[in-house]
Amino acid sequence: MSYALVTGGSRGIGRAICVQLAKQGYDILINYSSNKQAAEETQEAVEQEGRKAALLPFNVGDRVACREAVEQWYANNTDEKIEVLVNNAGIRKDNLMVWMKDEEWDDVMGISLGGFYNVTKSVLPELIKEKKGKIINIVSLSGLKGLPGQTNYSAAKAAVIGATKSLAQEVARRNISVNAVAPGFIRTEMTEDINEKDVKGLIPMRRFGTAEEVASVVGFLASDASSYITGETISINGGLY
């Protein structure tokens, strides 16, 4: 049976991705760090689509915990495999750089960039062995454009975009694709502190996007329909560049 592992899968875009991939026939591994109740709600939503869902709690920024959790899952599920990895976990700690605290830099880099490395490194050997896989990294408009107050977040997401291009070339011969999805302003808990009325005038489509709109593109990249696409970053931003 093929699983999709979605980091930060308990809420928002992560939850929408879990449900979308379940609709496409994948069983789901829901990674989360602290909010077990939200993860269980995602698990229930996946099961309503007729697929299996399991919780895989660990902080993606904790390299040891990450590797132990993934290795233990493989050891306990020898007849099953992870075919799709969605690196979605990320945090925002916005501040102008002149006032940015060291931990605001370190925490954002540790989750968004370090998490990409920790989880991908844990899953990649099995994907290579199977000669089949899809790695999809959730990045951001901020990583392409840069946004004031987000030097940490922009740096982390831009780094993952670069890593996406490099890794795609390393593993293409093994039938593994590596792509990124760059959402703009999406209506989730992560953007609750942003006044949509103040920002939507900058967006040609004059609205925030939805988590489901992001999930639909992730679903495309996880499907056979995207079989000749790798190393790409697809923007979902309503025309805001």
Side-chain angles (χ1 to χ4, degrees), residues 128-155:
I128 289 172
K129 190 169 78 174
E130 294 291 333
K131 295 184 179 178
K132 186 177 185 182
K134 305 270 192 177
I135 299 172
I136 303 157
N137 302 315
I138 308 302
V139 289
S140 173
L141 170 70
S142 187
L144 292 165
K145 178 182 185 295
L147 291 172
Q150 290 194 336
T151 305
N152 48 2
Y153 191 70
S154 295

Side-chain angles (χ1 to χ4, degrees), residues 92 94 150 188-196 198 208:
R92 281 176 48 218
D94 295 354
Q150 290 194 336
T188 67
E189 290 179 27
M190 200 175 189
T191 58
E192 279 181 342
D193 61 328
I194 301 171
N195 190 325
E196 186 170 345
D198 293 340
F208 279 19

